[in-house]
Amino acid sequence: ELGTGAHWKIRTLLEAVPREHLSDIRYVPVDVSESALVEASKELRALFPDLNVFGIVADFTRHMEKIPMNGNKLFTFFGGTLGNFSEQEAVRFLKDIAEGMGPRDRLLIGIDMIKPKETLEAAYNDSQGITSAFNKNVLTVINRELDANFDVADFDHVAFFNEKRQRIEMHLQAARPVSVRIERLDLCLAFEEGETIHTEVSRKFSRASAEAMAERAGLAVSRWFTDGKGWFSLVELGRPSSDGDCFAPPTGKEADC
């Protein structure tokens, strides 16, 4: 599982495995946070005592070579994190996974789909201010890690859907003229009122754009799962056969291509 975090997503899959077969599975969580990785692994072992867990502290965008590539593999990349990559970054990431996949291996990946603009913007400007606090936290981290003196109150959270680029953009907009010193970079910054810091993008996909991206990475869709509204999808990808035909999933059933 790439970018493990908490274990609740993979737990849903593991609960579907017959208990007598858990000892045949090696779960490999990959995360940059050692403490989160250790904690989640301990909790999973308590829930599934027969499960083999082999945690790897790594950045999955740079350290794919650290992941064991022997045996039959199911890569999982849940959530909508793929949307935080640019098109080029996403294709490179998927290529790195594809290069470690055999003909029977699979990648199960979360795809956040395009929704009505009003729905998307409401989600990223939630009334509870959760996304705003998340966005502003970047300033707190810069203050702590780079010895800067940002005042979070000087900036407003701004999020909107860029229809042309099919992505949510998050910014921090200066509410007044602001001067900031970042000591560890020996850098002084001045912001005019209304000037923004572009903090994040979250791309949304159509089925056609997701399939085209997978194809560029040398992958093809074997099965597609989605909710009733088609707002979020889990997509099973694999390496296509050399002649480009559809391939059978590990169950041996006909693939949905």
Side-chain angles (χ1 to χ4, degrees):
E1 182 181 13
L2 305 175
T4 305
H7 61 70
W8 63 269
K9 296 183 291 293
I10 200 68
R11 178 178 171 179
T12 301
L13 288 187
L14 292 172
E15 286 175 343
V17 177
R19 289 278 172 169
E20 63 269 22
H21 293 303
L22 281 172
S23 61
D24 300 326
I25 295 174
R26 178 173 60 173
Y27 171 56
V28 182
V30 182
D31 201 279
V32 293
S33 172
E34 181 177 0
S35 59
L37 194 67
V38 170
E39 185 65 24
S41 297
K42 286 181 177 178
E43 291 177 359
L44 270 183
R45 286 280 293 147
L47 292 167
F48 307 100
D50 296 328
L51 181 68
N52 298 301
V53 179
F54 182 79
I56 298 177
V57 180
D59 179 348
F60 58 77
T61 65
R62 297 189 298 165
H63 304 139
M64 287 296 294
E65 75 281 356
K66 292 189 176 183
I67 299 174
M69 292 299 178
N70 57 307
N72 297 319
K73 300 176 291 297
L74 171 65
F75 294 91
T76 62
F77 191 52
F78 296 121
T81 306
L82 190 70
N84 299 132
F85 298 159
S86 69
E87 175 71 12
Q88 294 75 20
E89 290 170 338
V91 170
R92 180 66 262 171
F93 168 65
L94 293 175
K95 279 184 176 178
D96 287 343
I97 298 174
E99 288 171 0
M101 294 176 68
R104 307 293 296 181
D105 295 338
R106 293 292 182 269
L107 165 63
L108 186 61
I109 191 167
I111 302 286
D112 202 0
M113 309 300 286
I114 296 172
K115 307 167 189 65
K117 180 179 180 179
E118 298 77 15
T119 300
L120 285 167
E121 292 188 344
Y124 285 83
N125 294 282
D126 58 282
S127 59
Q128 293 177 300
I130 295 172
T131 311
S132 175
F134 172 83
N135 195 14
K136 291 183 179 183
N137 187 56
V138 69
L139 301 181
T140 302
V141 173
I142 293 173
N143 285 347
R144 183 182 69 237
E145 300 295 331
L146 297 178
D147 196 15
N149 64 343
F150 278 100
D151 185 341
V152 174
D154 287 338
F155 292 85
D156 297 323
H157 165 73
V158 176
F160 59 90
F161 185 57
N162 185 324
E163 293 183 88
K164 182 178 180 180
R165 297 191 174 186
Q166 297 185 337
R167 70 186 192 184
I168 284 285
E169 293 186 10
M170 296 210 310
H171 297 253
L172 292 172
Q173 185 177 59
R176 58 190 67 84
V178 176
S179 295
V180 177
R181 172 74 181 172
I182 305 178
E183 290 291 346
R184 293 187 63 181
L185 298 181
D186 191 23
L187 181 65
C188 290
L189 299 173
F191 298 90
E192 298 179 5
E193 182 178 351
E195 190 172 2
T196 71
I197 304 170
H198 189 177
T199 53
E200 183 176 319
V201 299
S202 182
R203 297 165 61 222
K204 310 304 173 184
F205 299 88
S206 65
R207 180 158 181 168
S209 66
E211 289 180 339
M213 179 176 58
E215 184 178 356
R216 287 181 60 196
L219 294 167
V221 173
S222 59
R223 287 185 289 186
W224 189 286
F225 309 91
T226 192
D227 61 279
K229 293 182 178 180
W231 282 6
F232 190 83
S233 299
L234 277 175
V235 183
E236 183 187 286
L237 300 166
R239 298 289 296 269
S241 60
S242 57
D243 57 10
D245 289 339
C246 296
F247 46 83
T251 57
K253 297 178 182 179
E254 183 179 355
D256 299 319
C257 293

